[in-house]
Amino acid sequence: MTPMDRRRFLKVTAITGTSAALARCGNPEHQIIRFVPEEELTPGIAVWKPSVCPLCNAGCGVLARVMDGDAEVFRNGEAGVTRMGLPRKLEGDPAHGVSQGRLCVRGQAALQVTYHPDRLASPRRRVGERGSGAFEDITWDAALTELIGRLDTLVEAGNAGQIAFIGRPRRGRRAELVAEFLRRIGAPAPVAFEFFDDAVIRRANELSFGRYQLPTIDLARTHYLIGFGADFLGTWNSPVAHGAAYGRMRQGQPGTVTKFVQVEPRMSQTGASANEWVAVPPGTEGVVALGLAHVIMRDGLRPASAAGRAGAMVEGFAQGLAAFAPADVERYTGITPARIERLAREFAANGPAVAVIGGPALAHTNGLAQALAVNALNALVGSVDVPGGVLFTPTEVAPVGPPRSLREVVGGAAAPQLLLLDEANPVYASPPGWHVADLLQRVPFIVSFGAFVDETSVLADLLLPDHSFLESWTESSPESGSADAANATAPPAMHPLYDTRSMPDVLLDVARRLQRPLDPPLPWQTFDEMVQAPTTVPAMPAAPSRAPDTPRAWADARFDGEAGTYPFHFLPYASQALLDGSLAHLPWLQELPDPLTTAMWSAWVEINPGTAERLGIAEGDMVEITSAHGSVRAPAVISPGIGPTAVAMPAGQGHDTFTRYASGRGANPVHVLAPLDEPETGALAWSATRVRIARVGAADGSLILFAGATRERPDHHGRG
Amino acid sequence: MAYRWGMVVDLDRCTGCEACVTACHAENNLPTVGADEAARGRAMHWIRVERYWEGEFPDVRVKFRPVLCQQCGNAPCEAVCPTYASHQNEDGLNAQVYNRCIGTRYCGNACMYNVRFFNFFHPQWEKPLQLQLNPDVSLRESGVMEKCTFCVQRIKAAKSAAKAEDRAIADGSLQPACAQACPAGALVFGDLNDPESRVARLSASPRGSKLLEDLGAEPKITYLHRQGWHESNA
Ligand code: SF4
Ligand code: SF4
Ligand code: SF4
């Protein structure tokens, strides 16, 4: 078929909405196999099936609108067409305590995960050089025989300790199964890897409140809110739940107008909704919190003792934080003492008042100290576990727990002998100084369960694609987002399209077929059975669990790179559309105009107008960003939401290998990051790199804005 | 009594999150045009979120405003259409009859809200993305103008269900996809002819105004401006 024919062919398909024409190239239409439908459907009638959005850890309950249609499928090793129930739209499940009938922009696009043209349809085995992307189809039998053989050999030789598992920080039964499998085979605990990981806030909450858990901010009932860098309405924590609560905060409290103050170095999408926006240098957000606490205690508005254990975690708190008087705060942040005094008075006078910190503010070497400062401020004004304050969602499932970090694997002397990968993409999302790709090259055998080939799974020897979430049992036991437990379990919303297998069932199958049985054996035969059986993991205790720790001293944030050579702070941030880049393969999200820049299909660098003028950079010009660790190029967006000494860049683009929609598009800010971390948790300090910038060329058309496209240009440089 | 569908956009609730934008794509079979066509200004978003910067760093603020077809009562896009493809339906909606549209694009020029989008080419879904299509919404071919319909397929379904049971559509039971998705509850849809409906009551809010109201197109979307905080509110 010529390319021309093929295009025309797709056109017909799209317009008629039928798959009758979807024969493999060269096959006359009458040779298509039509399978007997596996379910009874009433044509044109929609049914709603529950599921859980898999795209982030918020765990929103969804309803899929399922209608009949013809789909190209694989059944018993043959391709053909069948009439089946197909999810056509996802909505929030009104009965779910986190989504409350709503979904975020990413959840709306989750449908495209299932229908993605580059989804892996069957198991594959590497044939070319590692990383070349050359794979061949293989049967499940052959694939599992190979995997089981390798596991048997390792177990037999007493090397089960060299089996590694890298997944995303998921919760729930799937995570429980993985942990139990590894424990019983004698392997170390799974590694949870995500670029925007929340280890710092969880650890801070454990120290301050005895809860190793993300907080829920009871926005709907708060009267005064201070955010420290947390993008809780966009990309952080549980954005649907917090978005819904935010709407009620604004217009659901008759007679009350809540003030929202956001403190951050670069205006986030969340900060854009603040009544008062306070710019501070990166890594000093916590100083503002300590300064507010200082004034509140100094003026006798609250005694230091009111902060209890959370106060006791902050060195000098009991003495009124003498080192954080308004003049000291000004030295750190440039905020005038009068403003600090005013904000402190407002915060203390307008209860219930709550503070929240997250995201970029914690991605510093002093991230833990910053979080502890905000926790103490909340405790000081009595805003923990009260309406309008910080809440902790009761969970039946233990939290992810301090996970094994990727650094332990990367930093270990020997590479693992066998690596199981479950959707994590550390090759794309780790700083160059971690040398993750080098490490993986030294692992003799890598198996990936992901549904797509990305920068990490392209290194795998076996691809064992999982079903999509709509084809699987799904469950959620949200860690945050609700005052009450909001657990959900749902059976598959559709039959699988392809020759894929549910990863938990593959693990259970492998476990059964090992030469030396697991000790003790896993108590479940199938994952369906497991999700319907009670968990084996003890519930998170409702009361603070650990004894108070020693107080932590404030530490100034450290930055990589000499200020002389690298004069700008480099501030990567989570993209509203693509998040950490794991969603860059979804065309709906690629074509979503970014909320603050209207950019689509693009990466960009945000530069302050004065800085741009000084450096001769115009909007769209290509700019090179260089740190001591690498450089990237991206077009400039002139933005008034960032100060003259910083530049910002969204995460998400710059994929080498991640489907036709994401590969070879834009640049990846992670490539310039220094491997600094927050020492207590080992979390990457991704806001801690300094860079220099230079114009390297005129606009090359790679910055695609929607704002210019409909003829209106509401604003260009913020002076419109 | 006839329905008169309208909407309130509460800018005090809107966070600029754009859940509404993708929800609309998914519901209404909007094509993704790809980077090259998007660069030529051909991306289609029946609802978009405009953002306005105010001030200079560090005293800077942003305003978001979701903009979709305003369902004008006196719609300039209708008057200029030679084939009556753009017309007013019985519920006061500005409707587009795709197979009457001959692609003059006069309507797109006449609409001062810039919410009409032209199909410059046949839409394509790389298979199996066509499986995401909503069977209740027709696909538009090249040469045809399209825009927000207030999810007319949902309105039709709700009307026929209500008619079969001989009742009126209950307030709040019918929502376009954008309003259903919106986490913050910023989009309120309903019948302006029902004085008790949420949309009718909110439309009368002192915070309300309409876009380019003085041009006389009689838009049926009311924007509620943000509520300021003053020490005295506390
Ligand atoms: S917040 Fe959005 S991406 Fe995360 S689970 Fe909910 S709908 Fe999905
Ligand atoms: S907003 Fe534009 S497209 Fe919609 S009715 Fe008014 S003039 Fe027509
Ligand atoms: S979904 Fe709602 S809050 Fe988000 S941009 Fe649209 S109208 Fe605003």
Side-chain angles (χ1 to χ4, degrees):
Chain A
M1 218 179 230
T2 68
M4 196 61 177
D5 284 346
R6 193 171 159 272
R7 216 175 300 136
R8 158 112 202 103
F9 188 76
L10 287 170
K11 214 172 350 186
V12 171
T13 308
I15 289 165
T16 59
T18 165
S19 311
L22 291 178
R24 278 160 294 175
C25 290
N27 266 14
E29 218 167 283
H30 63 266
Q31 284 188 1
I32 297 175
I33 303 170
R34 184 166 267 282
F35 298 111
V36 177
E38 291 138 340
E39 54 199 320
E40 296 233 336
L41 298 156
T42 315
I45 300 296
V47 290
W48 294 89
K49 299 197 174 176
S51 186
V52 174
C53 175
L55 299 188
C56 85
N57 296 320
C60 292
V62 305
L63 290 179
R65 182 172 191 251
V66 178
M67 292 176 86
D68 73 314
D70 274 349
E72 231 189 333
V73 295
F74 283 88
R75 295 288 181 264
N76 305 319
E78 281 187 303
V81 170
T82 193
R83 191 144 202 88
M84 63 184 286
L86 296 165
R88 307 288 191 156
K89 177 82 172 64
L90 300 178
E91 306 287 359
D93 181 351
H96 191 249
V98 170
S99 69
Q100 304 161 61
R102 314 290 181 167
L103 282 186
C104 82
V105 61
R106 301 172 292 277
Q108 281 291 339
L111 202 56
Q112 293 193 321
V113 170
T114 301
Y115 300 139
H116 199 289
D118 296 332
R119 210 184 126 188
L120 291 166
S122 62
R124 314 199 84 195
R125 170 168 51 200
R126 176 167 71 84
V127 287
E129 205 177 305
R130 185 171 262 184
S132 67
F135 293 95
E136 66 178 7
D137 285 350
I138 176 177
T139 64
W140 275 100
D141 261 352
L144 293 183
T145 303
E146 165 130 37
L147 171 59
I148 291 162
R150 300 243 173 194
L151 288 169
D152 280 338
T153 308
L154 284 170
V155 171
E156 220 39 61
N159 288 335
Q162 295 180 23
I163 300 168
F165 184 102
I166 304 179
R168 309 191 65 169
R170 291 171 185 269
R171 295 155 50 82
R173 307 310 301 275
R174 182 183 170 110
E176 179 185 337
L177 175 60
V178 169
E180 288 303 302
F181 174 86
L182 294 172
R183 194 167 65 81
R184 291 172 204 223
I185 203 172
V191 169
F193 176 79
E194 202 159 59
F195 182 76
F196 294 111
D197 111 329
D198 285 307
V200 173
I201 188 70
R202 291 195 185 98
R203 173 66 178 148
N205 289 345
E206 179 180 41
L207 291 170
S208 303
F209 311 125
R211 311 286 308 223
Y212 188 86
Q213 192 174 353
L214 280 171
T216 301
I217 311 304
D218 190 13
L219 300 172
R221 293 183 286 186
T222 201
H223 290 183
Y224 200 98
L225 165 66
I226 304 188
F228 294 91
D231 188 24
F232 55 90
L233 298 176
T235 54
W236 180 71
N237 195 340
S238 193
V240 174
H242 285 111
Y246 176 87
R248 292 195 288 273
M249 174 186 106
R250 285 303 192 192
Q251 288 296 323
Q253 306 188 81
T256 300
V257 177
T258 294
K259 181 167 181 181
F260 168 28
V261 179
Q262 180 86 341
V263 179
E264 57 192 0
R266 168 202 168 258
M267 184 171 280
S268 61
Q269 185 218 318
T270 297
S273 290
N275 299 78
E276 181 174 346
W277 190 70
V278 182
V280 293
T284 67
E285 295 88 344
V287 173
V288 178
L290 295 174
L292 298 178
H294 170 100
V295 173
I296 290 169
M297 292 188 278
R298 182 201 66 197
D299 291 359
L301 302 173
R302 293 285 193 293
S305 59
R309 168 178 170 160
M313 283 300 106
V314 177
E315 197 172 278
F317 201 89
Q319 293 74 44
L321 293 169
F324 296 92
D328 301 307
V329 178
E330 183 180 31
R331 219 167 6 85
Y332 272 102
T333 64
I335 304 175
T336 63
R339 195 175 191 189
I340 288 290
E341 304 261 359
R342 173 175 58 77
L343 290 172
R345 270 198 319 274
E346 289 177 3
F347 191 70
N350 294 293
V354 68
V356 52
I357 188 164
L362 302 181
H364 285 288
T365 57
N366 66 348
L368 188 68
Q370 301 235 78
L372 292 173
V374 171
N375 284 353
L377 177 64
N378 274 323
L380 180 66
V381 296
S383 288
V384 182
D385 280 323
V386 297
V390 178
L391 306 177
F392 291 97
T393 302
T395 65
E396 275 170 24
V397 179
V400 262
R404 228 174 128 228
S405 101
L406 182 60
R407 305 291 295 275
E408 289 174 48
V409 180
V410 175
Q417 291 299 301
L418 189 150
L419 173 64
L420 303 169
L421 271 173
D422 187 23
E423 291 208 322
N425 188 0
V427 171
Y428 169 81
S430 315
W434 285 14
H435 306 292
V436 171
D438 296 347
L439 174 96
L440 296 196
Q441 286 291 4
R442 288 188 284 121
V443 178
F445 196 69
I446 302 176
V447 179
S448 167
F449 297 106
F452 296 94
V453 177
D454 60 25
E455 290 81 353
T456 306
S457 60
V458 75
L459 301 175
D461 301 278
L462 270 188
L463 301 170
L464 303 181
D466 198 351
H467 291 332
S468 99
F469 70 107
L470 292 169
E471 300 161 339
S472 311
W473 275 87
T474 50
E475 19 107 40
S476 104
S477 46
E479 178 181 359
S480 62
S482 169
D484 305 310
N487 303 319
T489 303
M494 67 187 291
H495 286 275
L497 292 173
Y498 307 128
D499 190 18
T500 55
R501 285 193 191 175
S502 133
M503 176 270 198
D505 282 316
V506 170
L507 275 194
L508 287 165
D509 190 24
V510 166
R512 267 192 307 272
R513 290 161 57 181
L514 289 171
Q515 226 161 54
R516 182 186 299 176
L518 293 187
D519 183 28
L522 292 167
W524 318 280
Q525 290 304 304
T526 62
F527 191 55
D528 318 14
E529 188 189 308
M530 180 181 180
V531 295
Q532 294 173 84
T535 173
T536 56
V537 182
M540 171 103 180
S545 50
R546 296 197 194 180
D549 213 306
T550 48
R552 303 298 196 270
W554 173 260
D556 291 351
R558 287 192 302 113
F559 295 92
D560 180 272
E562 270 303 305
T565 320
Y566 301 106
F568 296 94
H569 288 288
F570 183 58
L571 307 176
Y573 63 93
S575 154
Q576 174 67 352
L578 313 179
L579 212 59
D580 55 359
S582 57
L583 309 182
H585 59 326
L586 304 184
W588 274 335
L589 296 177
Q590 281 282 359
E591 202 156 298
L592 183 82
D594 174 72
L596 289 175
T597 63
T598 82
M600 304 171 284
W601 297 98
S602 308
W604 62 88
V605 190
E606 289 166 26
I607 304 175
N608 175 275
T611 307
E613 200 173 318
R614 186 164 58 76
L615 298 175
I617 298 169
E619 179 127 316
D621 282 358
M622 287 306 285
V623 172
E624 186 165 69
I625 299 183
T626 307
S627 74
H629 305 272
S631 66
V632 287
R633 290 180 177 202
V637 165
I638 314 298
S639 168
I642 189 157
T645 57
V647 291
M649 196 172 162
Q653 300 282 23
H655 282 278
D656 303 324
T657 310
F658 193 34
T659 80
R660 67 189 72 183
Y661 301 112
S663 300
R665 177 173 305 291
N668 180 0
V670 179
H671 286 163
V672 305
L673 294 184
L676 287 185
D677 59 16
E678 191 290 313
E680 193 166 329
T681 57
L684 178 69
W686 44 265
S687 294
T689 306
R690 302 187 63 107
V691 298
R692 61 170 191 263
I693 63 175
R695 181 183 184 280
V696 290
D700 67 352
S702 65
L703 178 67
I704 302 170
L705 301 180
F706 187 63
T710 55
R711 281 178 292 145
E712 100 291 12
R713 186 131 178 131
D715 154 275
H716 193 58
H717 289 185
R719 304 193 192 98
Chain B
M1 194 164 71
Y3 297 105
R4 195 163 60 92
W5 304 111
M7 185 180 271
V8 159
V9 179
D10 193 336
L11 300 177
D12 205 30
R13 288 180 181 251
C14 176
T15 66
C17 75
E18 297 195 88
C20 49
V21 176
T22 305
C24 177
H25 270 255
E27 173 75 16
N28 290 302
N29 300 336
L30 266 78
T32 303
V33 301
D36 294 347
E37 294 296 336
R40 300 163 76 176
R42 292 174 175 180
M44 295 189 175
H45 299 292
W46 287 1
I47 181 169
R48 64 175 177 267
V49 180
E50 297 185 346
R51 64 91 184 78
Y52 299 90
W53 290 102
E54 289 176 357
E56 309 237 357
F57 186 89
D59 299 314
V60 62
R61 285 200 66 189
V62 172
K63 282 184 177 165
F64 291 117
R65 180 158 53 210
V67 177
L68 60 164
C69 169
Q70 306 289 304
Q71 303 293 351
C72 305
N74 180 23
C77 62
E78 293 167 12
V80 297
C81 179
T83 62
Y84 303 98
S86 175
H87 71 285
Q88 195 92 167
N89 80 3
E90 73 276 12
D91 292 353
L93 292 181
N94 168 255
Q96 181 78 359
V97 182
Y98 300 127
N99 55 11
R100 238 187 239 163
C101 176
I102 55 168
T104 64
R105 297 195 267 153
Y106 294 162
C107 57
N109 290 329
C111 170
M112 57 278 217
Y113 303 106
N114 281 318
V115 295
R116 304 183 72 94
F117 294 87
F118 188 65
N119 284 276
F120 284 91
F121 46 86
H122 277 293
Q124 292 184 15
W125 284 270
E126 291 178 284
K127 71 174 186 176
L129 280 174
Q130 84 283 356
L131 297 181
Q132 79 195 9
L133 295 174
N134 181 352
D136 296 343
V137 174
S138 48
L139 300 177
R140 287 77 60 179
E141 294 188 41
S142 107
V144 166
M145 197 57 118
E146 61 179 72
K147 50 122 230 165
C148 159
T149 66
F150 265 177
C151 292
V152 68
Q153 65 283 1
R154 294 185 177 205
I155 296 176
K156 279 187 184 150
K159 279 169 88 173
S160 66
K163 195 170 171 202
E165 295 170 21
D166 199 23
R167 57 169 172 84
I169 297 172
D171 188 41
S173 67
L174 165 62
Q175 294 188 89
C178 55
Q180 182 170 6
C182 175
L187 307 175
V188 178
F189 174 86
D191 180 13
L192 293 168
N193 278 345
D194 170 6
E196 295 307 311
S197 70
R198 258 190 94 208
V199 72
R201 283 183 286 120
L202 284 170
S203 296
S205 161
R207 291 193 290 129
S209 65
K210 299 193 171 167
L211 285 190
L212 305 176
E213 197 165 8
D214 46 336
L215 295 180
E218 296 168 21
K220 279 195 275 302
I221 297 189
T222 300
Y223 288 83
L224 305 185
H225 63 72
R226 278 181 179 176
Q227 205 156 356
W229 186 90
H230 312 283
E231 196 113 31
S232 58
N233 296 137

